């Protein structure tokens, strides 16, 4: 069974947005991490990950998100999340992600808060 | 993959293969929706099932490479019993596994969250583990 997933990347002048669709497990997480690392290598240190089209995230997927937070930390960068469900936000707060990354209701607010 | 329905109980067996936890989660989701759990609670049930199945996939070392799931539907709650025939584990095993992992921020560890997430999201949570395997049971009650 293949998990259908997709990542759209939109790089602007000072920030970039990564929009995921599908189950955020190890496979989608690694793909997302690769795209985030490419952006970081290009000098983007303000990233938004929009999870609106991702209904389910497992803890392996979240562990990969933590690696992206750590990679941005090393460059004094910022990661803001948006589009989380109530359960996803609760899980992110439990795992202390909310201390090291922003959580916002929508993309516009996430971008405005860099 | 076998699936049987016995009145208010559904039994499902999944192989320990990529994304098979989604099959278990979707089954739980359908049962939760049929029993009028709200959207947030249904997502919580799915996540608890996913995390428990992944733990079995990753840590059970089961020879049959299968996970057995029972969904027990009652008037205002859904109970899941997730069993593997692996080597079992102790709380010390889990503690050591977490303690040995490296992380930049000590409160933002990367792995070892599955049981904690499940315990937090569910209303009741039990583990029975021994040399013949592990059964994780949890109950979600409908929001009043």
């Amino acid at each position: 069974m293949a998990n259908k997933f997709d990542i759209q990347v939109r790089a602007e002048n000072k920030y970039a947005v990564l929009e995921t669709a599908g189950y955020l497990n190890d496979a989608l997480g690694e793909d997302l991490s690769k795209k985030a690392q490419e952006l970081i290598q290009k000098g983007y240190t303000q990233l938004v990950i929009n999870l609106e089209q991702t209904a389910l995230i497992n803890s392996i997927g979240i562990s990969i998100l933590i690696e992206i937070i750590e990679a941005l930390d090393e460059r004094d960068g910022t990661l803001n999340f948006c589009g989380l469900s109530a359960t996803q936000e609760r899980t992110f707060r439990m795992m202390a992600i909310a201390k090291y990354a922003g959580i916002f209701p929508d993309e516009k607010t996430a971008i405005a808060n860099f | 993959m076998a699936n049987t329905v016995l009145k208010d109980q559904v039994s499902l067996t999944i192989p320990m293969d990529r994304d098979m936890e989604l099959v278990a989660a979707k089954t739980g989701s359908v049962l939760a929706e049929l029993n009028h759990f709200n959207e947030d609670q249904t997502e919580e049930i799915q996540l608890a099932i996913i995390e428990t199945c992944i733990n079995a996939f990753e840590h059970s070392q089961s020879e049959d490479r299968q996970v057995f799931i029972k969904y027990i539907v009652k008037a205002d709650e859904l109970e899941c019993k997730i069993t593997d025939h692996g080597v079992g584990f102790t709380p010390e095993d889990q503690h050591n596994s977490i303690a040995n992992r490296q992380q930049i921020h000590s409160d933002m560890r990367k792995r070892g969250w599955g049981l904690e997430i499940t315990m937090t999201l569910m209303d009741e949570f039990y583990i029975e583990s021994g040399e013949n395997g592990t059964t994780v049971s949890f109950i979600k009650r409908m929001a009043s």
Side-chain angles (χ1 to χ4, degrees):
Chain A
M1 190 175 75
N3 167 39
K4 287 183 182 174
F5 60 79
D6 183 38
I7 300 168
Q8 298 292 325
V9 178
R10 197 174 76 250
E12 303 288 350
N13 275 343
K14 293 186 176 175
Y15 64 88
V17 178
L18 298 111
E19 193 173 347
T20 64
Y23 175 39
L24 182 41
N25 58 1
D26 54 341
L28 177 58
E30 281 162 16
D31 202 9
L32 181 65
S33 176
K34 188 178 166 193
K35 287 185 163 59
Q37 294 292 349
E38 285 169 2
L39 288 164
I40 293 167
Q41 292 302 320
K42 287 179 185 171
Y44 287 94
T45 56
Q46 294 183 322
L47 300 183
V48 171
I49 296 182
N50 185 340
L51 296 167
E52 197 174 348
Q53 300 302 316
T54 286
L56 289 168
I57 305 174
N58 70 26
S59 57
I60 304 172
I62 298 177
S63 73
I64 296 171
L65 296 178
I66 291 172
E67 288 175 5
I68 299 172
I69 294 170
E70 290 175 345
L72 282 166
D73 262 8
E74 288 171 0
R75 291 164 177 79
D76 294 323
T78 306
L79 178 60
N80 286 345
F81 291 100
C82 66
L84 277 72
S85 68
T87 303
Q88 288 166 354
E89 183 168 342
R90 187 175 171 190
T91 309
F92 277 33
R93 293 193 184 283
M94 185 196 316
M95 295 174 72
I97 288 177
K99 281 177 69 177
Y100 302 101
I103 296 178
F104 299 96
D106 53 57
E107 200 173 294
K108 190 178 172 187
T109 317
I111 292 164
N113 277 277
F114 280 126
Chain B
M1 190 167 64
N3 193 3
T4 55
V5 179
L6 294 171
K7 206 174 176 183
D8 297 327
Q9 179 174 303
V10 174
S11 297
L12 175 71
T13 303
I14 56 169
M16 292 184 178
D17 288 335
R18 168 169 285 280
D19 293 340
M20 280 294 117
E21 72 277 12
L22 278 181
V23 176
K26 293 291 181 192
T27 303
S29 168
V30 170
L31 289 169
E33 285 169 10
L34 286 173
N35 287 279
H36 311 294
F37 280 82
N38 67 35
E39 196 176 323
D40 288 343
Q41 289 190 305
T42 301
E43 187 182 340
E44 289 169 0
I45 290 166
Q46 287 192 86
L47 185 54
I49 293 168
I50 284 172
E51 292 303 327
T52 307
C53 287
I54 288 174
N55 268 344
F57 292 6
E58 288 193 330
H59 305 299
S60 72
Q61 301 173 47
S62 125
E63 288 184 9
D64 64 14
R65 303 290 300 160
Q66 290 188 312
V67 177
F68 307 88
I69 304 132
K70 274 187 188 173
Y71 308 84
I72 301 156
V73 181
K74 296 176 186 169
D76 60 350
E77 67 183 39
L78 176 62
E79 180 175 7
C80 297
K81 291 177 177 284
I82 301 180
T83 299
D84 66 65
H85 294 157
V87 297
F89 74 100
T90 64
E92 289 75 27
D93 292 337
Q94 193 197 11
H95 174 78
N96 292 337
S97 169
I98 292 167
N100 289 335
R101 290 180 175 130
Q102 302 263 325
Q103 61 249 343
I104 291 175
H105 300 293
S106 60
D107 55 348
M108 193 174 63
R109 68 174 192 268
K110 289 177 198 159
R111 299 300 310 277
W113 283 98
L115 289 178
E116 204 167 328
I117 289 170
T118 305
M119 276 189 265
T120 303
L121 297 178
M122 298 295 105
D123 294 306
E124 289 184 37
F125 178 87
Y126 309 96
I127 298 177
E128 295 171 69
S129 193
E131 59 187 19
N132 295 319
T134 299
T135 296
V136 174
S137 307
F138 50 81
I139 294 173
K140 186 70 179 176
R141 293 198 184 86
M142 200 176 296
S144 52

